[in-house]
Amino acid sequence: MKNFKNKIFFLNKISFKKISFFRSIIKIESFKNSYCDSLGNFLRRIMFLTTFSYRIIYIKFFNINSAFSNLKGVKENTLNIINNINNIIIKIENEISAFLIIKKKGPCVIKAKDIFSDKKIIIFNPDIIIANITDNIIFFVLMKCINTSYNFNIENINNKIFKSKVIKLNFIKSSIKNINYFIHKKFFNKKIKNLFFDIETDGIFKPEECFNNCVFYIKKYFDVFFSVLGKKKKKKFLKKNF
């Protein structure tokens, strides 16, 4: 009990309870101080910052000049089609980026599962409708999908197809849908607290992966931070001695 009082906080264990593929409850125990709430808020923010996603950022429609032009023979306007594409949940296997293509002759219903790629991809909502083709036309769209943790811009694309009439989407989105944390006090000793995280994702990454990734980045950052401080202190010590 004496050692327990001397510690600022200690973690006995971290446990995971799976609610569904998209949602998990993470329990961190136990604390005996006022840092529990600060730590919960800190980890929540870091999880949002360190969890990336895969997003379609460039679209090129053939036979139209801009997002405000409409395709003949298509029920939806171009802005609605772009919004439908933006809602596709996609993952690229072991790659930073991939080209995506949709080429289909109408009349037909175009869904996310009609997307083809030069890389191995997984589409988590394949039945989402992109467009309804009402005439005997060819719907032809070329897209670029990237890992959002990668610093990507138009100069990175060395392809003549994307040099003109390209529609750029906002790709600042996380795979995390929602994170809530709450604190539970022990019944026999209200000074002892447990920290819970309720994490829900879109399915690209599991909640456990988001949490583990967050802890990895924190450890990596502070390892570098303290190693730099250690070097500065060492230099000052040497200067004093000489």
Side-chain angles (χ1 to χ4, degrees):
M1 186 63 102
K2 192 176 181 180
N3 292 332
F4 178 83
K5 288 180 180 179
N6 291 333
K7 290 183 180 180
I8 296 173
F9 70 87
F10 68 92
L11 305 179
N12 279 337
K13 66 175 181 177
I14 299 172
S15 55
F16 300 87
K17 183 180 179 182
K18 191 173 182 179
I19 307 299
S20 67
F21 183 81
F22 307 98
R23 186 183 170 202
S24 289
I25 304 291
I26 297 169
K27 179 183 178 184
I28 307 174
E29 54 180 328
S30 56
F31 299 87
K32 192 176 182 278
N33 53 59
S34 59
Y35 295 106
C36 195
D37 188 60
S38 299
L39 182 64
N41 189 43
F42 173 71
L43 289 176
R44 182 179 180 273
R45 291 170 69 90
I46 297 297
M47 268 187 268
F48 272 116
L49 290 170
T50 57
T51 304
F52 57 91
S53 188
Y54 294 89
R55 294 290 168 186
I56 296 166
I57 59 163
Y58 296 117
I59 303 175
K60 179 161 184 175
F61 292 93
F62 288 84
N63 300 324
I64 66 167
N65 296 321
S66 71
F68 302 101
S69 303
N70 291 328
L71 284 162
K72 291 181 180 179
V74 181
K75 184 180 178 181
E76 292 81 3
N77 60 43
T78 305
L79 289 173
N80 285 338
I81 296 169
I82 292 168
N83 186 55
N84 293 338
I85 290 171
N86 201 30
N87 289 329
I88 296 169
I89 301 170
I90 191 169
K91 184 177 182 179
I92 311 167
E93 288 288 332
N94 305 317
E95 294 287 346
I96 291 170
S97 63
F99 285 106
L100 311 175
I101 189 170
I102 302 172
K103 190 175 183 181
K104 201 169 181 182
K105 190 176 181 181
C108 63
V109 177
I110 295 172
K111 297 183 179 180
K113 63 184 177 183
D114 296 316
I115 294 173
F116 294 92
S117 177
D118 61 333
K119 303 286 180 9
K120 187 180 178 182
I121 60 170
I122 300 169
I123 298 172
F124 291 85
N125 50 352
D127 293 322
I128 189 171
I129 296 171
I130 295 171
N132 290 278
I133 314 302
T134 55
D135 282 346
N136 189 23
I137 62 160
I138 294 174
F139 183 84
F140 191 14
V141 180
L142 192 62
M143 298 166 283
K144 183 78 174 180
C145 181
I146 69 157
N147 180 325
T148 57
S149 67
Y150 181 63
N151 187 18
F152 213 90
N153 54 52
I154 195 72
E155 284 75 27
N156 292 111
I157 303 176
N158 297 317
N159 197 300
K160 292 179 181 178
I161 299 170
F162 280 103
K163 293 299 178 183
S164 62
K165 299 178 183 178
V166 178
I167 299 166
K168 188 176 179 181
L169 304 183
N170 179 17
F171 66 93
I172 307 171
K173 286 186 179 179
S174 173
S175 184
I176 295 173
K177 282 188 173 183
N178 191 33
I179 302 176
N180 291 310
Y181 75 91
F182 53 95
I183 298 161
H184 177 261
K185 295 178 181 180
K186 292 282 186 181
F187 180 75
F188 61 89
N189 187 348
K190 291 188 178 181
K191 290 183 179 179
I192 301 174
K193 304 170 185 177
N194 293 335
L195 181 61
F196 292 84
F197 284 94
D198 185 353
I199 306 171
E200 185 181 3
T201 69
D202 60 8
I204 293 176
F205 295 98
K206 294 177 182 178
E208 294 87 346
E209 290 176 316
C210 297
F211 181 82
N212 292 336
N213 194 43
C214 166
V215 173
F216 169 78
Y217 274 98
I218 291 169
K219 184 180 183 301
K220 188 178 178 182
Y221 173 80
F222 281 107
D223 281 348
V224 174
F225 179 74
F226 286 115
S227 66
V228 171
L229 281 179
K231 286 177 183 178
K232 285 182 179 179
K233 284 182 180 179
K234 204 172 185 180
K235 284 179 182 178
K236 286 180 182 178
F237 177 76
L238 290 169
K239 283 178 181 178
K240 283 180 181 178
N241 287 340
F242 290 99

